[in-house]
Amino acid sequence: MFKEDLLKDKTIIVTGGGTGLGKSMAARFGELGANLVIASRREQVIQDAADELRKTGTDVLGLTCDVRDPESVQGMVDAAKKQFGKIDVLLNNAAGNFISPTENLSANGFKAIVDIVLNGTFNCTHAVGKEMINDGGGSILNIVTTYAWTGSGYVVPSAAAKAGVLAITRSLAVEWAKYGIRSNAIAPGPFPTKGAWSRLAPPGLGIEKKMKNRIPLKRFGEHIELANLASYLLSDEAGYINGEVVTIDGGEWLKGAGQFNELERMPKMAWKAMDAMRKKSKKR
Ligand code: HXC
Ligand code: NAP
């Protein structure tokens, strides 16, 4: 659906780019001509992913980086600049999450998630943003969730942190536009990944089935669908999109929001009976 060189010569940093959705998005950016920097904490995971992506002919730098640590983030930025000269795009994708009744959380449990998701996004945005300002612009894309605006029980640290990331996205869309930097976000619904599923949908509880049933399109997202959306949003073709959050969830969150959506369960017979009653009462 895109020109083959849509992202040619763009250098894109993908945090958490060694696994799951980050890796899938990175692979698509590479196919479209980008140079890649993928970074996360686990050396082996990142190097294996970088080797795999290189096989497709993409120029890939795999780096260990802990987004919670500003020094580590600066090291990633310096290495990316050294290798590719400039950074065009930052994809803040790294995250941590788990399900827990909020009353059972420890202060450190809350902090663990907020440190990765909110502080990590700030650290990367701050360090890369300063380079983009010096270099004349760029594009920042943040991966949030639909519960960034609805909130959600049992994932309070993640909901609070993702809401903060959305606020950063919208704030900088205005503040940094003068430097030629666009800030946008994507809010994915459920997309199967080992990282998310192992923590949020443990087998045996029927969570996966319930999740799928809640989605109006009755299926989970496919990685390529998210990767194509991300490719468009960070490309120059989306040059006038700034401060937007694009939902890609098969209609999931709206289904929970619409007061009458549960009527989907009402059988056709019941609708027919209701209609007959309405017509009968009109005749009187
Ligand atoms: C309660 C928990 C917990 C759990 C950890 N903690 N897991 N508390 N329930 N299930 C607590 C610990 O007891 C500890 O507090 C504190 O959190 C830190 O734990 P550590 O294991 O030391 O943390 P750390 O090594 O930093 O690991 C972070 C992590 C881990 C988030 C806990 O799972 C991780 O590395 N995750 C990275 C990848 C990830 O989560 N991917 C999923 C993204 S999916 P105490 O007080 O004991 O010290 C996503 C999707 C959203 O975001 C939407 C889906 C539809
Ligand atoms: P994932 O594979 O677990 O991805 C999380 C990544 O973050 C991992 O590669 C992890 O690598 C990295 N990471 C964690 N802590 C880090 C740190 N301190 N520093 C650097 N990197 C760190 O899960 P995923 O499902 O692909 O999630 C990717 C993104 O999509 C996340 O932002 C998530 O919130 C979002 N999302 C996912 C879904 C879904 O259904 N899958 C839905 C909505 C939103 P290391 O462990 O090597 O550091």
PDB file of all heavy atoms in Angstrom, residues 237-273:
ATOM      1  N   GLU A 237       4.368  11.841   4.492  1.00  0.00           N
ATOM      2  CA  GLU A 237       3.011  11.910   3.920  1.00  0.00           C
ATOM      3  C   GLU A 237       1.983  12.353   4.964  1.00  0.00           C
ATOM      4  O   GLU A 237       0.905  12.816   4.625  1.00  0.00           O
ATOM      5  CB  GLU A 237       2.582  10.538   3.364  1.00  0.00           C
ATOM      6  CG  GLU A 237       3.499   9.965   2.306  1.00  0.00           C
ATOM      7  CD  GLU A 237       3.605  10.831   1.058  1.00  0.00           C
ATOM      8  OE1 GLU A 237       2.577  11.392   0.637  1.00  0.00           O
ATOM      9  OE2 GLU A 237       4.712  10.963   0.519  1.00  0.00           O
ATOM     10  N   ALA A 238       2.322  12.194   6.237  1.00  0.00           N
ATOM     11  CA  ALA A 238       1.404  12.603   7.315  1.00  0.00           C
ATOM     12  C   ALA A 238       1.863  13.930   7.926  1.00  0.00           C
ATOM     13  O   ALA A 238       1.650  14.195   9.114  1.00  0.00           O
ATOM     14  CB  ALA A 238       1.339  11.516   8.386  1.00  0.00           C
ATOM     15  N   GLY A 239       2.495  14.756   7.081  1.00  0.00           N
ATOM     16  CA  GLY A 239       3.148  15.976   7.574  1.00  0.00           C
ATOM     17  C   GLY A 239       2.257  16.976   8.276  1.00  0.00           C
ATOM     18  O   GLY A 239       2.751  17.851   8.989  1.00  0.00           O
ATOM     19  N   TYR A 240       0.917  16.870   8.096  1.00  0.00           N
ATOM     20  CA  TYR A 240       0.026  17.847   8.741  1.00  0.00           C
ATOM     21  C   TYR A 240      -0.703  17.226   9.943  1.00  0.00           C
ATOM     22  O   TYR A 240      -1.566  17.840  10.542  1.00  0.00           O
ATOM     23  CB  TYR A 240      -0.976  18.384   7.711  1.00  0.00           C
ATOM     24  CG  TYR A 240      -1.567  19.731   8.075  1.00  0.00           C
ATOM     25  CD1 TYR A 240      -0.765  20.804   8.425  1.00  0.00           C
ATOM     26  CD2 TYR A 240      -2.953  19.928   8.070  1.00  0.00           C
ATOM     27  CE1 TYR A 240      -1.315  22.038   8.758  1.00  0.00           C
ATOM     28  CE2 TYR A 240      -3.502  21.160   8.401  1.00  0.00           C
ATOM     29  CZ  TYR A 240      -2.676  22.212   8.737  1.00  0.00           C
ATOM     30  OH  TYR A 240      -3.220  23.426   9.073  1.00  0.00           O
ATOM     31  N   ILE A 241      -0.349  15.975  10.268  1.00  0.00           N
ATOM     32  CA  ILE A 241      -0.980  15.317  11.421  1.00  0.00           C
ATOM     33  C   ILE A 241      -0.080  15.528  12.626  1.00  0.00           C
ATOM     34  O   ILE A 241       1.066  15.074  12.666  1.00  0.00           O
ATOM     35  CB  ILE A 241      -1.196  13.817  11.158  1.00  0.00           C
ATOM     36  CG1 ILE A 241      -2.127  13.632   9.942  1.00  0.00           C
ATOM     37  CG2 ILE A 241      -1.805  13.140  12.389  1.00  0.00           C
ATOM     38  CD1 ILE A 241      -2.425  12.189   9.602  1.00  0.00           C
ATOM     39  N   ASN A 242      -0.590  16.238  13.599  1.00  0.00           N
ATOM     40  CA  ASN A 242       0.220  16.612  14.760  1.00  0.00           C
ATOM     41  C   ASN A 242      -0.679  16.697  15.989  1.00  0.00           C
ATOM     42  O   ASN A 242      -1.671  17.420  15.975  1.00  0.00           O
ATOM     43  CB  ASN A 242       0.873  17.982  14.489  1.00  0.00           C
ATOM     44  CG  ASN A 242       1.849  18.376  15.577  1.00  0.00           C
ATOM     45  OD1 ASN A 242       2.431  17.515  16.240  1.00  0.00           O
ATOM     46  ND2 ASN A 242       2.032  19.676  15.771  1.00  0.00           N
ATOM     47  N   GLY A 243      -0.348  15.932  17.028  1.00  0.00           N
ATOM     48  CA  GLY A 243      -1.138  15.964  18.267  1.00  0.00           C
ATOM     49  C   GLY A 243      -2.289  14.987  18.242  1.00  0.00           C
ATOM     50  O   GLY A 243      -3.185  15.037  19.088  1.00  0.00           O
ATOM     51  N   GLU A 244      -2.265  14.056  17.300  1.00  0.00           N
ATOM     52  CA  GLU A 244      -3.388  13.124  17.141  1.00  0.00           C
ATOM     53  C   GLU A 244      -3.081  11.801  17.851  1.00  0.00           C
ATOM     54  O   GLU A 244      -1.935  11.390  17.944  1.00  0.00           O
ATOM     55  CB  GLU A 244      -3.627  12.877  15.648  1.00  0.00           C
ATOM     56  CG  GLU A 244      -4.864  12.063  15.332  1.00  0.00           C
ATOM     57  CD  GLU A 244      -6.132  12.654  15.916  1.00  0.00           C
ATOM     58  OE1 GLU A 244      -6.737  13.521  15.297  1.00  0.00           O
ATOM     59  OE2 GLU A 244      -6.526  12.238  17.027  1.00  0.00           O
ATOM     60  N   VAL A 245      -4.140  11.145  18.334  1.00  0.00           N
ATOM     61  CA  VAL A 245      -3.984   9.763  18.790  1.00  0.00           C
ATOM     62  C   VAL A 245      -4.920   8.920  17.946  1.00  0.00           C
ATOM     63  O   VAL A 245      -6.119   9.184  17.887  1.00  0.00           O
ATOM     64  CB  VAL A 245      -4.238   9.597  20.311  1.00  0.00           C
ATOM     65  CG1 VAL A 245      -5.542  10.191  20.757  1.00  0.00           C
ATOM     66  CG2 VAL A 245      -4.192   8.117  20.701  1.00  0.00           C
ATOM     67  N   VAL A 246      -4.360   7.966  17.230  1.00  0.00           N
ATOM     68  CA  VAL A 246      -5.167   7.131  16.339  1.00  0.00           C
ATOM     69  C   VAL A 246      -5.408   5.785  17.022  1.00  0.00           C
ATOM     70  O   VAL A 246      -4.472   5.091  17.414  1.00  0.00           O
ATOM     71  CB  VAL A 246      -4.467   6.913  14.983  1.00  0.00           C
ATOM     72  CG1 VAL A 246      -5.343   6.061  14.061  1.00  0.00           C
ATOM     73  CG2 VAL A 246      -4.165   8.249  14.323  1.00  0.00           C
ATOM     74  N   THR A 247      -6.685   5.447  17.157  1.00  0.00           N
ATOM     75  CA  THR A 247      -7.069   4.178  17.766  1.00  0.00           C
ATOM     76  C   THR A 247      -7.117   3.093  16.704  1.00  0.00           C
ATOM     77  O   THR A 247      -7.642   3.311  15.619  1.00  0.00           O
ATOM     78  CB  THR A 247      -8.472   4.329  18.394  1.00  0.00           C
ATOM     79  OG1 THR A 247      -8.411   5.361  19.374  1.00  0.00           O
ATOM     80  CG2 THR A 247      -8.936   3.049  19.054  1.00  0.00           C
ATOM     81  N   ILE A 248      -6.554   1.936  17.030  1.00  0.00           N
ATOM     82  CA  ILE A 248      -6.626   0.787  16.102  1.00  0.00           C
ATOM     83  C   ILE A 248      -7.005  -0.432  16.944  1.00  0.00           C
ATOM     84  O   ILE A 248      -6.149  -1.124  17.496  1.00  0.00           O
ATOM     85  CB  ILE A 248      -5.316   0.623  15.288  1.00  0.00           C
ATOM     86  CG1 ILE A 248      -5.359  -0.614  14.388  1.00  0.00           C
ATOM     87  CG2 ILE A 248      -4.073   0.628  16.152  1.00  0.00           C
ATOM     88  CD1 ILE A 248      -4.293  -0.629  13.291  1.00  0.00           C
ATOM     89  N   ASP A 249      -8.316  -0.613  17.135  1.00  0.00           N
ATOM     90  CA  ASP A 249      -8.782  -1.624  18.094  1.00  0.00           C
ATOM     91  C   ASP A 249     -10.042  -2.364  17.652  1.00  0.00           C
ATOM     92  O   ASP A 249     -10.720  -2.969  18.491  1.00  0.00           O
ATOM     93  CB  ASP A 249      -9.013  -0.971  19.468  1.00  0.00           C
ATOM     94  CG  ASP A 249     -10.271  -0.113  19.500  1.00  0.00           C
ATOM     95  OD1 ASP A 249     -10.770   0.259  18.407  1.00  0.00           O
ATOM     96  OD2 ASP A 249     -10.772   0.168  20.602  1.00  0.00           O
ATOM     97  N   GLY A 250     -10.377  -2.292  16.360  1.00  0.00           N
ATOM     98  CA  GLY A 250     -11.566  -3.019  15.887  1.00  0.00           C
ATOM     99  C   GLY A 250     -12.857  -2.514  16.512  1.00  0.00           C
ATOM    100  O   GLY A 250     -13.872  -3.206  16.480  1.00  0.00           O
ATOM    101  N   GLY A 251     -12.810  -1.324  17.101  1.00  0.00           N
ATOM    102  CA  GLY A 251     -14.013  -0.736  17.725  1.00  0.00           C
ATOM    103  C   GLY A 251     -14.189  -1.108  19.189  1.00  0.00           C
ATOM    104  O   GLY A 251     -15.226  -0.829  19.802  1.00  0.00           O
ATOM    105  N   GLU A 252     -13.154  -1.729  19.790  1.00  0.00           N
ATOM    106  CA  GLU A 252     -13.298  -2.296  21.132  1.00  0.00           C
ATOM    107  C   GLU A 252     -13.718  -1.290  22.208  1.00  0.00           C
ATOM    108  O   GLU A 252     -14.670  -1.518  22.942  1.00  0.00           O
ATOM    109  CB  GLU A 252     -11.993  -2.954  21.568  1.00  0.00           C
ATOM    110  CG  GLU A 252     -12.108  -3.656  22.911  1.00  0.00           C
ATOM    111  CD  GLU A 252     -10.756  -3.903  23.565  1.00  0.00           C
ATOM    112  OE1 GLU A 252      -9.837  -3.077  23.400  1.00  0.00           O
ATOM    113  OE2 GLU A 252     -10.629  -4.926  24.245  1.00  0.00           O
ATOM    114  N   TRP A 253     -13.017  -0.150  22.289  1.00  0.00           N
ATOM    115  CA  TRP A 253     -13.298   0.704  23.444  1.00  0.00           C
ATOM    116  C   TRP A 253     -14.653   1.382  23.320  1.00  0.00           C
ATOM    117  O   TRP A 253     -15.353   1.590  24.310  1.00  0.00           O
ATOM    118  CB  TRP A 253     -12.168   1.705  23.708  1.00  0.00           C
ATOM    119  CG  TRP A 253     -12.235   3.001  22.971  1.00  0.00           C
ATOM    120  CD1 TRP A 253     -11.666   3.267  21.772  1.00  0.00           C
ATOM    121  CD2 TRP A 253     -12.886   4.212  23.401  1.00  0.00           C
ATOM    122  NE1 TRP A 253     -11.921   4.562  21.413  1.00  0.00           N
ATOM    123  CE2 TRP A 253     -12.669   5.168  22.390  1.00  0.00           C
ATOM    124  CE3 TRP A 253     -13.621   4.572  24.524  1.00  0.00           C
ATOM    125  CZ2 TRP A 253     -13.168   6.467  22.476  1.00  0.00           C
ATOM    126  CZ3 TRP A 253     -14.113   5.872  24.602  1.00  0.00           C
ATOM    127  CH2 TRP A 253     -13.898   6.798  23.588  1.00  0.00           C
ATOM    128  N   LEU A 254     -15.058   1.677  22.073  1.00  0.00           N
ATOM    129  CA  LEU A 254     -16.366   2.315  21.892  1.00  0.00           C
ATOM    130  C   LEU A 254     -17.496   1.370  22.273  1.00  0.00           C
ATOM    131  O   LEU A 254     -18.538   1.794  22.747  1.00  0.00           O
ATOM    132  CB  LEU A 254     -16.533   2.749  20.442  1.00  0.00           C
ATOM    133  CG  LEU A 254     -15.802   4.041  20.090  1.00  0.00           C
ATOM    134  CD1 LEU A 254     -15.828   4.270  18.585  1.00  0.00           C
ATOM    135  CD2 LEU A 254     -16.437   5.228  20.813  1.00  0.00           C
ATOM    136  N   LYS A 255     -17.252   0.077  22.083  1.00  0.00           N
ATOM    137  CA  LYS A 255     -18.298  -0.883  22.440  1.00  0.00           C
ATOM    138  C   LYS A 255     -18.592  -0.813  23.935  1.00  0.00           C
ATOM    139  O   LYS A 255     -19.735  -0.870  24.360  1.00  0.00           O
ATOM    140  CB  LYS A 255     -17.902  -2.297  22.047  1.00  0.00           C
ATOM    141  CG  LYS A 255     -19.000  -3.269  22.398  1.00  0.00           C
ATOM    142  CD  LYS A 255     -18.882  -4.576  21.729  1.00  0.00           C
ATOM    143  CE  LYS A 255     -20.051  -5.437  22.182  1.00  0.00           C
ATOM    144  NZ  LYS A 255     -19.844  -6.822  21.874  1.00  0.00           N
ATOM    145  N   GLY A 256     -17.541  -0.664  24.708  1.00  0.00           N
ATOM    146  CA  GLY A 256     -17.747  -0.542  26.156  1.00  0.00           C
ATOM    147  C   GLY A 256     -18.379   0.785  26.534  1.00  0.00           C
ATOM    148  O   GLY A 256     -19.034   0.902  27.561  1.00  0.00           O
ATOM    149  N   ALA A 257     -18.211   1.796  25.687  1.00  0.00           N
ATOM    150  CA  ALA A 257     -18.661   3.140  26.050  1.00  0.00           C
ATOM    151  C   ALA A 257     -20.129   3.390  25.704  1.00  0.00           C
ATOM    152  O   ALA A 257     -20.835   4.065  26.441  1.00  0.00           O
ATOM    153  CB  ALA A 257     -17.786   4.176  25.332  1.00  0.00           C
ATOM    154  N   GLY A 258     -20.615   2.860  24.579  1.00  0.00           N
ATOM    155  CA  GLY A 258     -21.987   3.164  24.132  1.00  0.00           C
ATOM    156  C   GLY A 258     -23.011   2.505  25.035  1.00  0.00           C
ATOM    157  O   GLY A 258     -22.991   1.291  25.217  1.00  0.00           O
ATOM    158  N   GLN A 259     -23.944   3.312  25.591  1.00  0.00           N
ATOM    159  CA  GLN A 259     -24.865   2.792  26.613  1.00  0.00           C
ATOM    160  C   GLN A 259     -25.728   1.645  26.118  1.00  0.00           C
ATOM    161  O   GLN A 259     -26.115   0.769  26.876  1.00  0.00           O
ATOM    162  CB  GLN A 259     -25.778   3.914  27.098  1.00  0.00           C
ATOM    163  CG  GLN A 259     -25.123   4.768  28.155  1.00  0.00           C
ATOM    164  CD  GLN A 259     -26.038   5.864  28.629  1.00  0.00           C
ATOM    165  OE1 GLN A 259     -26.794   6.430  27.848  1.00  0.00           O
ATOM    166  NE2 GLN A 259     -25.960   6.166  29.906  1.00  0.00           N
ATOM    167  N   PHE A 260     -26.067   1.643  24.819  1.00  0.00           N
ATOM    168  CA  PHE A 260     -27.007   0.641  24.320  1.00  0.00           C
ATOM    169  C   PHE A 260     -26.333  -0.486  23.555  1.00  0.00           C
ATOM    170  O   PHE A 260     -27.012  -1.322  22.965  1.00  0.00           O
ATOM    171  CB  PHE A 260     -28.074   1.321  23.451  1.00  0.00           C
ATOM    172  CG  PHE A 260     -28.959   2.213  24.274  1.00  0.00           C
ATOM    173  CD1 PHE A 260     -28.679   3.573  24.400  1.00  0.00           C
ATOM    174  CD2 PHE A 260     -30.042   1.696  24.956  1.00  0.00           C
ATOM    175  CE1 PHE A 260     -29.467   4.385  25.187  1.00  0.00           C
ATOM    176  CE2 PHE A 260     -30.840   2.505  25.747  1.00  0.00           C
ATOM    177  CZ  PHE A 260     -30.551   3.859  25.867  1.00  0.00           C
ATOM    178  N   ASN A 261     -25.010  -0.503  23.559  1.00  0.00           N
ATOM    179  CA  ASN A 261     -24.308  -1.509  22.757  1.00  0.00           C
ATOM    180  C   ASN A 261     -24.596  -2.941  23.201  1.00  0.00           C
ATOM    181  O   ASN A 261     -24.484  -3.876  22.422  1.00  0.00           O
ATOM    182  CB  ASN A 261     -22.795  -1.248  22.763  1.00  0.00           C
ATOM    183  CG  ASN A 261     -22.424  -0.046  21.919  1.00  0.00           C
ATOM    184  OD1 ASN A 261     -23.208   0.394  21.087  1.00  0.00           O
ATOM    185  ND2 ASN A 261     -21.244   0.517  22.134  1.00  0.00           N
ATOM    186  N   GLU A 262     -24.984  -3.105  24.454  1.00  0.00           N
ATOM    187  CA  GLU A 262     -25.270  -4.459  24.939  1.00  0.00           C
ATOM    188  C   GLU A 262     -26.492  -5.064  24.260  1.00  0.00           C
ATOM    189  O   GLU A 262     -26.732  -6.265  24.319  1.00  0.00           O
ATOM    190  CB  GLU A 262     -25.469  -4.449  26.466  1.00  0.00           C
ATOM    191  CG  GLU A 262     -24.169  -4.340  27.244  1.00  0.00           C
ATOM    192  CD  GLU A 262     -23.176  -5.441  26.879  1.00  0.00           C
ATOM    193  OE1 GLU A 262     -23.571  -6.615  26.881  1.00  0.00           O
ATOM    194  OE2 GLU A 262     -22.015  -5.110  26.563  1.00  0.00           O
ATOM    195  N   LEU A 263     -27.279  -4.194  23.582  1.00  0.00           N
ATOM    196  CA  LEU A 263     -28.458  -4.702  22.879  1.00  0.00           C
ATOM    197  C   LEU A 263     -28.071  -5.656  21.749  1.00  0.00           C
ATOM    198  O   LEU A 263     -28.929  -6.344  21.203  1.00  0.00           O
ATOM    199  CB  LEU A 263     -29.285  -3.536  22.319  1.00  0.00           C
ATOM    200  CG  LEU A 263     -30.003  -2.682  23.378  1.00  0.00           C
ATOM    201  CD1 LEU A 263     -30.752  -1.548  22.718  1.00  0.00           C
ATOM    202  CD2 LEU A 263     -30.958  -3.546  24.189  1.00  0.00           C
ATOM    203  N   GLU A 264     -26.795  -5.693  21.426  1.00  0.00           N
ATOM    204  CA  GLU A 264     -26.311  -6.653  20.446  1.00  0.00           C
ATOM    205  C   GLU A 264     -26.708  -8.071  20.839  1.00  0.00           C
ATOM    206  O   GLU A 264     -26.906  -8.941  19.998  1.00  0.00           O
ATOM    207  CB  GLU A 264     -24.789  -6.543  20.368  1.00  0.00           C
ATOM    208  CG  GLU A 264     -24.206  -7.322  19.230  1.00  0.00           C
ATOM    209  CD  GLU A 264     -22.689  -7.177  19.201  1.00  0.00           C
ATOM    210  OE1 GLU A 264     -22.223  -6.213  18.596  1.00  0.00           O
ATOM    211  OE2 GLU A 264     -22.003  -8.018  19.821  1.00  0.00           O
ATOM    212  N   ARG A 265     -26.828  -8.295  22.135  1.00  0.00           N
ATOM    213  CA  ARG A 265     -27.176  -9.646  22.615  1.00  0.00           C
ATOM    214  C   ARG A 265     -28.656  -9.981  22.439  1.00  0.00           C
ATOM    215  O   ARG A 265     -29.064 -11.118  22.622  1.00  0.00           O
ATOM    216  CB  ARG A 265     -26.869  -9.744  24.110  1.00  0.00           C
ATOM    217  CG  ARG A 265     -25.401  -9.745  24.394  1.00  0.00           C
ATOM    218  CD  ARG A 265     -25.221  -9.936  25.855  1.00  0.00           C
ATOM    219  NE  ARG A 265     -23.897  -9.514  26.267  1.00  0.00           N
ATOM    220  CZ  ARG A 265     -23.376  -9.809  27.420  1.00  0.00           C
ATOM    221  NH1 ARG A 265     -24.053 -10.520  28.280  1.00  0.00           N
ATOM    222  NH2 ARG A 265     -22.177  -9.393  27.732  1.00  0.00           N
ATOM    223  N   MET A 266     -29.471  -8.947  22.161  1.00  0.00           N
ATOM    224  CA  MET A 266     -30.910  -9.199  22.066  1.00  0.00           C
ATOM    225  C   MET A 266     -31.196 -10.010  20.805  1.00  0.00           C
ATOM    226  O   MET A 266     -30.777  -9.638  19.711  1.00  0.00           O
ATOM    227  CB  MET A 266     -31.658  -7.863  22.014  1.00  0.00           C
ATOM    228  CG  MET A 266     -33.114  -8.014  22.312  1.00  0.00           C
ATOM    229  SD  MET A 266     -33.769  -6.491  22.972  1.00  0.00           S
ATOM    230  CE  MET A 266     -34.457  -5.798  21.497  1.00  0.00           C
ATOM    231  N   PRO A 267     -31.911 -11.128  20.938  1.00  0.00           N
ATOM    232  CA  PRO A 267     -32.161 -11.964  19.765  1.00  0.00           C
ATOM    233  C   PRO A 267     -33.071 -11.269  18.752  1.00  0.00           C
ATOM    234  O   PRO A 267     -33.869 -10.408  19.125  1.00  0.00           O
ATOM    235  CB  PRO A 267     -32.837 -13.210  20.346  1.00  0.00           C
ATOM    236  CG  PRO A 267     -33.160 -12.905  21.755  1.00  0.00           C
ATOM    237  CD  PRO A 267     -32.459 -11.673  22.183  1.00  0.00           C
ATOM    238  N   LYS A 268     -32.953 -11.687  17.474  1.00  0.00           N
ATOM    239  CA  LYS A 268     -33.777 -11.096  16.401  1.00  0.00           C
ATOM    240  C   LYS A 268     -35.262 -11.193  16.728  1.00  0.00           C
ATOM    241  O   LYS A 268     -36.049 -10.299  16.445  1.00  0.00           O
ATOM    242  CB  LYS A 268     -33.482 -11.813  15.089  1.00  0.00           C
ATOM    243  CG  LYS A 268     -32.284 -11.247  14.367  1.00  0.00           C
ATOM    244  CD  LYS A 268     -32.184 -11.796  12.959  1.00  0.00           C
ATOM    245  CE  LYS A 268     -30.885 -11.316  12.331  1.00  0.00           C
ATOM    246  NZ  LYS A 268     -30.330 -12.233  11.364  1.00  0.00           N
ATOM    247  N   MET A 269     -35.649 -12.330  17.338  1.00  0.00           N
ATOM    248  CA  MET A 269     -37.067 -12.553  17.693  1.00  0.00           C
ATOM    249  C   MET A 269     -37.566 -11.448  18.611  1.00  0.00           C
ATOM    250  O   MET A 269     -38.698 -10.975  18.475  1.00  0.00           O
ATOM    251  CB  MET A 269     -37.217 -13.900  18.422  1.00  0.00           C
ATOM    252  CG  MET A 269     -37.110 -15.111  17.528  1.00  0.00           C
ATOM    253  SD  MET A 269     -38.495 -15.201  16.407  1.00  0.00           S
ATOM    254  CE  MET A 269     -39.807 -15.660  17.537  1.00  0.00           C
ATOM    255  N   ALA A 270     -36.731 -11.059  19.561  1.00  0.00           N
ATOM    256  CA  ALA A 270     -37.147 -10.022  20.515  1.00  0.00           C
ATOM    257  C   ALA A 270     -37.332  -8.680  19.808  1.00  0.00           C
ATOM    258  O   ALA A 270     -38.268  -7.925  20.107  1.00  0.00           O
ATOM    259  CB  ALA A 270     -36.105  -9.896  21.630  1.00  0.00           C
ATOM    260  N   TRP A 271     -36.438  -8.386  18.852  1.00  0.00           N
ATOM    261  CA  TRP A 271     -36.607  -7.145  18.076  1.00  0.00           C
ATOM    262  C   TRP A 271     -37.932  -7.190  17.300  1.00  0.00           C
ATOM    263  O   TRP A 271     -38.667  -6.197  17.245  1.00  0.00           O
ATOM    264  CB  TRP A 271     -35.457  -6.967  17.073  1.00  0.00           C
ATOM    265  CG  TRP A 271     -34.174  -6.488  17.689  1.00  0.00           C
ATOM    266  CD1 TRP A 271     -33.018  -7.188  17.797  1.00  0.00           C
ATOM    267  CD2 TRP A 271     -33.911  -5.198  18.256  1.00  0.00           C
ATOM    268  NE1 TRP A 271     -32.048  -6.423  18.411  1.00  0.00           N
ATOM    269  CE2 TRP A 271     -32.580  -5.194  18.695  1.00  0.00           C
ATOM    270  CE3 TRP A 271     -34.689  -4.054  18.452  1.00  0.00           C
ATOM    271  CZ2 TRP A 271     -31.977  -4.091  19.324  1.00  0.00           C
ATOM    272  CZ3 TRP A 271     -34.091  -2.945  19.069  1.00  0.00           C
ATOM    273  CH2 TRP A 271     -32.759  -2.972  19.500  1.00  0.00           C
ATOM    274  N   LYS A 272     -38.235  -8.352  16.716  1.00  0.00           N
ATOM    275  CA  LYS A 272     -39.467  -8.493  15.926  1.00  0.00           C
ATOM    276  C   LYS A 272     -40.693  -8.293  16.814  1.00  0.00           C
ATOM    277  O   LYS A 272     -41.640  -7.599  16.451  1.00  0.00           O
ATOM    278  CB  LYS A 272     -39.520  -9.892  15.295  1.00  0.00           C
ATOM    279  CG  LYS A 272     -38.854  -9.944  13.933  1.00  0.00           C
ATOM    280  CD  LYS A 272     -39.216 -11.257  13.254  1.00  0.00           C
ATOM    281  CE  LYS A 272     -38.455 -11.366  11.935  1.00  0.00           C
ATOM    282  NZ  LYS A 272     -38.379 -12.723  11.459  1.00  0.00           N
ATOM    283  N   ALA A 273     -40.637  -8.900  17.997  1.00  0.00           N
ATOM    284  CA  ALA A 273     -41.779  -8.787  18.920  1.00  0.00           C
ATOM    285  C   ALA A 273     -41.979  -7.338  19.343  1.00  0.00           C
ATOM    286  O   ALA A 273     -43.119  -6.842  19.407  1.00  0.00           O
ATOM    287  CB  ALA A 273     -41.523  -9.679  20.142  1.00  0.00           C
TER     288      ALA A 273
END
